[in-house]
Amino acid sequence: NAGVTQTPKFRVLKTGQSMTLLCAQDMNHEYMYWYRQDPGMGLRLIHYSVGEGTTAKGEVPDGYNVSRLKKQNFLLGLESAAPSQTSVYFCASTPSGSPYEQYFGPGTRLTVT
Amino acid sequence: AQSVTQLGSHVSVSEGALVLLRCNYSSSVPPYLFWYVQYPNQGLQLLLKYTSAATLVKGINGFEAEFKKSETSFHLTKPSAHMSDAAEYFCAVSETSYDKVIFGPGTSLSVIP
């Protein structure tokens, strides 16, 4: 099993550009999450999904959109990138009935100039 | 509302010394508590979790944590630090719903030879 994978690993965007981050998991997990990690702030939940075709807002959803068309994939979109979105983005998943242990991907480092 | 505080953004210990990383939480209901570890350039990995069973929880790599309701604390300890323990450690809290895992700001642990 590859676990949770994220594509790309690094990206540099200019202000106003758009991009999509892909998260894929091969563990048949029901729940998937997108977090951003900023120095001194821990991880903050952007959006999450409790199953295929469903998404919900987390703590810091503004400026981001998500889609979960397939159970194994969770996409995070930035329609018009801003410097404030410079961060490390982590995807995580967890199986149904086990909300406690989240399995994390390796992260995507995004810089917006 | 849930929140997590971690006293000390950076902790240094000598190799072989006791490791103590502090975590305090606030929650309106009995919480679920977690410690995650993040090695450089990697995602987070679960160290241990408290889910209302035994108050002393043992995790991987010799770490353990004790849930103290009266102190609203969940401090992480390890009797003897190893060089490989150098990493970022995150305390997290969740109430009953899986979509509300709140992470603390993290503590960076350095181990001095």
Side-chain angles (χ1 to χ4, degrees):
Chain A
N1 285 352
V4 180
T5 58
Q6 294 183 231
T7 308
K9 289 185 169 53
F10 304 93
R11 185 72 186 268
V12 178
L13 286 180
K14 293 185 178 179
T15 298
Q17 288 184 321
S18 64
M19 77 163 295
T20 300
L21 283 66
L22 171 63
C23 175
Q25 52 94 4
D26 61 0
M27 298 174 284
N28 202 33
H29 286 174
E30 287 292 332
Y31 310 142
M32 296 186 73
Y33 312 83
W34 275 108
Y35 293 92
R36 59 177 291 172
Q37 183 179 29
D38 302 291
M41 303 189 73
L43 274 74
R44 292 181 292 169
L45 182 66
I46 305 172
H47 286 281
Y48 64 97
S49 168
V50 301
E52 182 178 318
T54 71
T55 63
K57 295 180 180 180
E59 183 185 356
V60 288
D62 293 343
Y64 305 95
N65 57 75
V66 288
S67 64
R68 182 114 181 255
L69 299 180
K70 294 183 178 180
K71 185 177 182 179
Q72 64 267 33
N73 295 338
F74 195 29
L75 279 63
L76 177 71
L78 286 73
E79 291 185 347
S80 180
S84 61
Q85 294 178 303
T86 293
S87 187
V88 180
Y89 292 84
F90 287 98
C91 176
S93 70
T94 188
S96 173
S98 175
Y100 317 121
E101 179 165 1
Q102 298 195 2
Y103 295 78
F104 283 83
T108 295
R109 185 173 296 274
L110 175 66
T111 302
V112 183
T113 61
Chain B
Q2 303 169 77
S3 67
V4 178
T5 56
Q6 293 182 239
L7 184 63
S9 60
H10 188 85
V11 171
S12 292
V13 299
S14 297
E15 190 174 16
L18 171 72
V19 175
L20 170 60
L21 303 182
R22 300 179 186 274
C23 172
N24 289 88
Y25 68 92
S26 68
S27 176
S28 57
V29 299
Y32 302 103
L33 295 157
F34 318 87
W35 276 100
Y36 282 84
V37 60
Q38 183 182 31
Y39 298 104
N41 300 313
Q42 294 186 26
L44 278 69
Q45 175 185 353
L46 184 69
L47 263 183
L48 49 80
K49 62 187 179 188
Y50 166 76
T51 58
S52 75
T55 56
L56 183 62
V57 181
K58 294 188 184 299
I60 61 173
N61 301 337
F63 284 93
E64 62 182 35
E66 185 173 9
F67 171 65
K68 291 188 176 180
K69 184 178 179 180
S70 61
E71 299 178 7
T72 60
S73 69
F74 191 57
H75 301 331
L76 182 70
T77 60
K78 182 175 180 178
S80 177
H82 192 272
M83 295 298 293
S84 61
D85 295 327
E88 187 93 14
Y89 291 82
F90 293 93
C91 183
V93 63
S94 176
E95 293 180 351
T96 56
S97 61
Y98 48 77
D99 60 331
K100 296 291 185 183
V101 176
I102 305 299
F103 287 85
T107 297
S108 177
L109 176 66
S110 298
V111 181
I112 304 165

